[in-house]
Amino acid sequence: PALDVAKETLAVLGEKQFDVVAADFMMIGSLIAAEAIGVKRVALFHMPEYLPGPGRPPGGMGLLPSSSRLGVMRDKLLTKVFHRVINQYLPALNTVREAFSLPLYSSFPDIYHQADLRLIQTSKAFDAPITPAPANVRYVGPVLDDPAWSNSEYELWPKEDQRPLVVVSLSSTFQNQLSVLKQIIASVAGMPLRCLVTLGPAMSKEAFESPENVILLPSIPHNYIFPEADAVVTHAGHGTVMRALAHGIPLVCMPMGRDQIDNAALVAHHGAGLKLRSNAKFSQIRKAIKRVLDEPSFTKGAKALQKKILVDAKAELGVSQLEELAAES
């Protein structure tokens, strides 16, 4: 829908004077519209670094940088594959650019590399950044706000119940996660813990069996329940991972796609949790939950990242970067 997005963005930009357009990196039409009329443009990456570059493989495969000879060869090969795959969309991108009399790109990622800024909305301490980073890249810390649709008005366990609390939070969008949720619920049944499962809009109307130690809710704000949690089981969406780490909670990550594979790899790399396959067996899930609860090293890894994440979030680096760019206009 890039052409429609570009036209609609241009219509809004024509209503009054704007200095900057900040758009999610998937909304390339907005970035094109801003470029067409000479307004500063900012691409927002709502996840860790995804593009390949010096010292870093492409995102989406759960790979970490490697300085070994084999690692360098791996990254060069995968970078070629990455560009071959993503450049299949280049003709469509250039068709939109042509409609706005803009020069054509030779590679799809040019839309990001040529933006005035590329703000990566995570903590650099968590990520595996391109080294050295491109000149327009800034790490601005994560967004820790809860979605507006989550509800905290629930009565859960009585205060005298001091069993460890495990929160299960999978994707709020549909990722065919029904079987994964059922496997997790079956895995915690009978364990000496409390388990709160948030279903999200995609799963809230599905039927689940609920063991004695499990409560199922459509939603609950992470910032409301995470202060009480001892571990989080998640698909490793960036928002859930960041909010868990911001509370110093270790994770069991079961990625199902998108950027989740990279997030899970980074959690494990930092010693802040464990990574499982989304189709992990009953015994594997149970063992992983027990490990992150019983082994202090995982909480230690999570708390080490907690300090850096909270510093970045408090600094509001994204706001200052946007203000500085607007002042240059």
Side-chain angles (χ1 to χ4, degrees):
L3 183 59
D4 290 336
V5 172
K7 289 178 178 178
E8 291 172 4
T9 304
L10 199 62
V12 173
L13 292 174
E15 293 176 1
K16 57 182 179 181
Q17 183 177 346
F18 292 89
D19 300 302
V20 177
V21 168
D24 186 278
F25 79 102
M26 298 179 73
M27 304 297 287
I28 58 174
S30 293
L31 298 173
I32 290 172
E35 183 182 359
I37 62 171
V39 173
K40 301 282 187 180
R41 59 199 189 279
V42 178
L44 305 174
F45 276 65
H46 55 263
M47 58 187 186
E49 178 62 86
Y50 197 82
L51 301 181
R56 194 191 189 288
M61 289 175 277
L63 299 174
L64 297 170
S66 172
S67 58
S68 69
R69 184 178 178 184
L70 186 61
V72 171
M73 291 175 60
R74 175 203 70 181
D75 293 350
K76 285 184 178 180
L77 175 62
L78 291 178
T79 296
K80 288 182 179 179
V81 174
F82 174 86
H83 283 103
R84 183 175 297 174
V85 171
I86 201 168
N87 279 337
Q88 67 182 305
Y89 304 106
L90 183 61
L93 171 65
N94 278 333
T95 296
V96 180
R97 294 185 62 77
E98 198 170 28
F100 288 88
S101 301
L102 292 170
L104 305 185
Y105 282 148
S106 59
S107 180
F108 191 96
D110 287 348
I111 189 74
Y112 310 122
H113 292 311
Q114 294 183 21
D116 295 281
L117 285 177
R118 186 157 70 86
L119 302 186
I120 300 183
Q121 295 174 283
T122 195
S123 289
K124 191 173 183 179
F126 175 73
D127 201 3
I130 295 173
T131 306
N136 68 342
V137 166
R138 305 286 188 276
Y139 279 83
V140 296
V143 176
L144 300 177
D145 299 345
D146 283 301
W149 46 261
S150 56
N151 185 359
S152 62
E153 296 180 3
Y154 296 107
E155 289 187 12
L156 302 174
W157 289 271
K159 290 184 179 180
E160 56 269 22
D161 190 341
Q162 293 298 304
R163 290 176 296 175
L165 173 60
V166 174
V167 177
V168 177
S169 178
L170 301 191
S171 182
S172 58
T173 60
F174 181 81
Q175 286 196 268
N176 203 26
Q177 64 265 46
L178 180 61
S179 62
V180 183
L181 277 170
K182 288 184 175 181
Q183 185 79 316
I184 295 169
I185 293 169
S187 299
V188 301
M191 292 184 74
L193 54 79
R194 297 167 292 157
C195 180
L196 176 64
V197 179
T198 58
L199 299 173
M203 293 287 112
S204 60
K205 295 183 180 179
E206 299 288 346
F208 295 89
E209 291 186 11
S210 181
E212 170 277 329
N213 63 336
V214 176
I215 291 177
L216 294 95
L217 295 177
S219 67
I220 197 167
H222 288 161
N223 290 317
Y224 174 80
I225 195 63
F226 279 2
E228 309 297 325
D230 298 284
V232 172
V233 181
T234 178
H235 64 307
H238 184 251
T240 303
V241 168
M242 286 293 106
R243 286 190 287 273
L245 293 175
H247 287 88
I249 309 170
L251 301 112
V252 174
C253 298
M254 302 177 68
M256 293 181 282
R258 307 174 185 170
D259 61 313
Q260 299 154 24
I261 302 170
D262 295 328
N263 298 333
L266 289 167
V267 167
H269 171 68
H270 289 293
L274 295 169
K275 175 184 175 184
L276 299 178
R277 296 168 65 94
S278 61
N279 62 350
K281 296 179 180 178
F282 173 98
S283 59
Q284 293 173 314
I285 299 172
R286 198 177 181 99
K287 182 179 178 181
I289 293 172
K290 191 174 187 307
R291 282 192 64 193
V292 298
L293 287 173
D294 292 348
E295 298 179 23
S297 62
F298 295 111
T299 298
K300 182 179 179 181
K303 287 190 177 298
L305 287 170
Q306 177 187 26
K307 297 177 183 178
K308 297 169 183 177
I309 289 170
L310 291 178
V311 167
D312 287 345
K314 186 177 180 180
E316 296 188 339
L317 301 171
V319 174
S320 61
Q321 288 292 327
L322 292 173
E323 289 176 341
E324 288 177 16
L325 186 62
E328 296 173 5
S329 301

